[in-house]
């Protein structure tokens, strides 16, 4: 049978090939260190779980919730933005709670995209950034993932050569998968370009609190006038180790937020109210829980970089996010990232994500997630060492991410 129209626009999910091999290896007794999916292993802080348990005891919370989020949660997100970024938001008109940032992006695409609309998306990038718009009938034009002159050259070319003119540009910094961080000056230039050409800016800021070098990543909404064109998506999944709770936010431009809220009102009733109550408590708790999570990921990053380098595979140290974006060793580069990921799984008992899953320009890399503890990361490094020694492979001259900007 032929695929339906929308599913025909979706390529095979390349990560699933690695996942099948991983499941097969585990069924055969292999101890796989899974550094593939960005699925946080840390427990949700106890005070958040306690708040959930308290709220769920109240029968009233079992009723339908609000698709745009309960008022207290939207106020808490607005307070977080003012505290963290100095950005003032109206919780009634500029904040929507989403079922994770992924759902928010997908439904924003449904809300604003007409058939054939052109959207500018980084390549490589998180899959929903492109496929949310493809499923909504839009067309994708790739732009570089790194902020710099070539990014703006690509925007200029897109404005000149796209028919119709681009609807929106997607940003994601700290970036998934590349871990690149953008500064406020870059955002100023993007906002100025967007306002000049009538383009919306959709910013994914899911990793804003997972940073390691002392400089907090900025929000595009810190730029004066950004609210005229921009919406930003955030998530509680990584910041508070709440991935299965499915809580995120879209904030910013009132017209875009209203469109998203209207679509969501037809599709869902929002997250279970006790989850929203617990998420409110998390946001109102201050910075201490966030700092603890950040420090754990920093230590894991340091162990990953150190142990893999000693094993013979140099890992560029990410400045933010919970991922490292790692060039495939030269000897294996012709395999491509999918086949190399399968080989690492088979020979080293380590699962990583093939870069091709994030776009064709990611095929020279794999993404390694910091989702196992330090002991397990060292175990992964020992498996990599055995694999590389067997292959007779030695790695040299890997250029760190920051040096490639």
């Amino acid at each position: 049978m032929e695929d339906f129209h929308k599913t025909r626009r979706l390529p095979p999910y390349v990560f699933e090939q690695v996942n099948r091999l991983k499941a097969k290896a585990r069924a055969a007794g292999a101890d796989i260190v899974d550094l593939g999916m960005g699925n946080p292993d840390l427990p949700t802080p106890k005070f958040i779980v306690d708040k959930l348990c308290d709220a769920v005891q109240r029968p009233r919370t079992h009723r339908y919730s609000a698709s745009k989020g309960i008022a207290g949660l939207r106020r808490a997100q607005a307070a977080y933005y003012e505290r963290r970024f100095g950005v003032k938001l109206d919780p009634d008109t500029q904040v929507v709670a989403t079922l994770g940032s992924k759902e928010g992006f997908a439904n924003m695409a449904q809300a604003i995209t007409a058939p054939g609309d052109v959207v500018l998306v980084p390549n490589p990038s998180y899959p929903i950034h492109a496929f949310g718009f493809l499923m909504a009938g839009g067309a994708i034009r790739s732009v570089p993932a790194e902020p710099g002159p070539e990014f703006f050259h690509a925007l200029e070319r897109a404005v000149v050569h796209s028919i119709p003119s681009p609807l929106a540009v997607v940003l994601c910094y700290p970036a998934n998968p590349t871990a690149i961080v953008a500064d406020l000056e870059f955002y100023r230039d993007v906002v100025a370009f967007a306002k000049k050409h009538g383009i919306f800016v959709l910013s994914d800021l899911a990793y804003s609190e997972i940073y390691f070098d002392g400089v907090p990543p900025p929000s595009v909404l810190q730029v004066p006038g950004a609210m005229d064109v921009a919406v930003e998506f955030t998530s509680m999944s990584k910041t508070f180790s709440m991935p299965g709770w499915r809580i995120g936010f879209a904030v910013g431009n009132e017209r875009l937020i209203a469109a998203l809220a209207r679509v969501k009102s037809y599709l869902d009733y929002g997250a279970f109210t006790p989850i929203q109550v617990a998420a409110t408590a998390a946001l109102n708790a201050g910075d201490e829980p966030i700092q603890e999570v950040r420090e754990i990921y920093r230590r894991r990053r340091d162990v990953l970089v150190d142990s893999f380098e000693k094993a013979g595979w140099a890992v560029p140290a990410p400045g933010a996010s919970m991922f490292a974006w790692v060039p495939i060793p030269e000897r294996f580069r012709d395999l491509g990232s999918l086949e190399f990921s399968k080989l690492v799984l088979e020979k080293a008992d380590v699962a990583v994500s093939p870069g091709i899953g994030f776009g064709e320009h990611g095929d020279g890399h794999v993404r390694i997630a910091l989702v196992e503890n330090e002991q397990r990361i060292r175990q992964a490094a020992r498996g990599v060492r055995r694999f590389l020694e067997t292959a007779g492979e030695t790695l040299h001259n890997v250029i760190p991410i920051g040096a490639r900007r």
Side-chain angles (χ1 to χ4, degrees):
M1 294 178 64
E2 290 186 10
D3 286 339
F4 296 107
H5 169 68
K6 288 192 176 181
T7 59
R8 281 201 303 269
R9 307 198 79 190
L10 301 176
Y13 198 56
V14 298
F15 303 116
E16 185 56 33
Q17 297 185 45
V18 177
N19 290 339
R20 284 199 300 269
L21 289 176
K22 181 173 61 181
K24 183 178 179 180
R26 283 178 167 163
D31 181 15
I32 303 297
V33 181
D34 192 351
L35 305 177
M37 183 178 178
N39 191 4
D41 64 311
L42 301 175
T44 305
K46 184 177 182 300
F47 79 94
I48 302 175
V49 177
D50 289 344
K51 191 67 175 180
L52 170 72
C53 293
D54 176 67
V56 82
Q57 299 301 320
R58 301 196 294 271
R60 186 174 181 82
T61 66
H62 299 189
R63 301 169 71 179
Y64 288 129
S65 191
S67 64
K68 65 184 293 186
I70 61 175
L73 179 58
R74 287 182 280 112
R75 286 195 298 267
Q77 176 68 351
Y80 163 76
Y81 255 77
E82 185 165 12
R83 183 172 71 245
R84 171 69 163 80
F85 302 112
V87 172
K88 292 188 177 183
L89 297 167
D90 183 332
D92 293 324
T93 62
Q94 295 178 315
V95 180
V96 167
T98 63
L99 305 179
S101 60
K102 188 174 184 179
E103 176 268 319
F105 241 97
N107 279 330
M108 180 63 81
Q110 293 292 331
I112 69 174
T113 309
D117 275 347
V118 176
V119 178
L120 311 180
V121 179
N123 189 336
S125 189
Y126 187 55
I128 196 63
H129 295 157
F131 291 108
F133 290 97
L134 287 172
M135 285 188 285
I140 299 303
R141 188 180 181 113
S142 293
V143 297
E146 298 185 24
E150 185 50 39
F151 178 89
F152 290 100
H153 294 160
L155 295 190
E156 294 282 1
R157 290 193 298 270
V159 168
V160 172
H161 297 293
S162 297
I163 300 175
S165 295
L167 169 71
V169 58
V170 174
L171 307 178
C172 179
Y173 304 104
N176 179 9
T178 64
I180 297 169
V181 181
D183 58 24
L184 201 54
E185 192 61 37
F186 169 77
Y187 284 142
R188 288 193 185 97
D189 291 342
V190 172
V191 169
F193 185 93
K195 295 182 81 168
K196 178 181 178 180
H197 295 286
I199 297 172
F200 292 121
V201 177
L202 305 177
S203 170
D204 185 344
L205 196 63
Y207 300 94
S208 61
E209 298 297 351
I210 311 298
Y211 60 90
F212 311 121
D213 299 329
V215 180
S219 161
V220 68
L221 296 178
Q222 291 175 247
V223 176
M227 208 72 72
D228 296 337
V229 293
V231 162
E232 196 154 64
F233 298 84
T234 57
S235 169
M236 300 191 73
S237 295
K238 281 71 178 181
T239 305
F240 293 97
S241 300
M242 298 170 64
W245 298 54
R246 307 315 301 138
I247 289 289
F249 300 93
V251 306
N253 178 269
E254 291 187 11
R255 180 185 173 201
L256 293 175
I257 292 297
L260 174 60
R262 185 172 181 181
V263 166
K264 282 179 60 62
S265 71
Y266 281 89
L267 297 177
D268 67 70
Y269 287 106
F272 186 36
T273 296
I275 290 178
Q276 297 191 55
V277 171
T280 303
L283 286 171
N284 288 336
D287 295 334
E288 185 176 344
I290 299 173
Q291 291 171 353
E292 293 175 0
V293 169
R294 185 185 304 132
E295 178 59 21
I296 290 171
Y297 283 122
R298 186 196 63 76
R299 291 198 301 268
R300 291 181 179 185
R301 178 203 65 167
D302 293 346
V303 168
L304 176 73
V305 171
D306 179 66
S307 62
F308 271 54
E309 182 175 8
K310 290 176 179 176
W313 189 4
V315 173
S321 85
M322 57 187 294
F323 306 112
W325 186 237
V326 188
I328 297 173
E330 185 65 38
R331 178 174 176 179
F332 302 102
R333 201 152 296 170
D334 288 345
L335 291 175
S337 59
L338 178 57
E339 292 306 315
F340 176 71
S341 297
K342 293 178 182 178
L343 192 63
V344 171
L345 181 62
E346 177 186 354
K347 302 296 185 182
D349 290 335
V350 177
V352 298
S353 291
I356 189 65
F358 304 97
E360 67 271 24
H361 295 300
D363 202 22
H365 293 70
V366 297
R367 192 193 70 179
I368 299 179
L370 304 172
V371 292
E372 295 264 18
N373 63 39
E374 295 167 39
Q375 178 182 344
R376 295 280 285 171
I377 291 172
R378 291 190 179 96
Q379 177 182 331
R382 292 193 293 271
V384 166
R385 179 189 291 275
R386 290 193 302 271
F387 161 51
L388 295 179
E389 286 177 348
T390 301
E393 174 68 10
T394 303
L395 306 181
H396 298 289
N397 302 322
V398 176
I399 303 174
I401 287 175
R404 297 205 307 269
R405 294 187 182 181

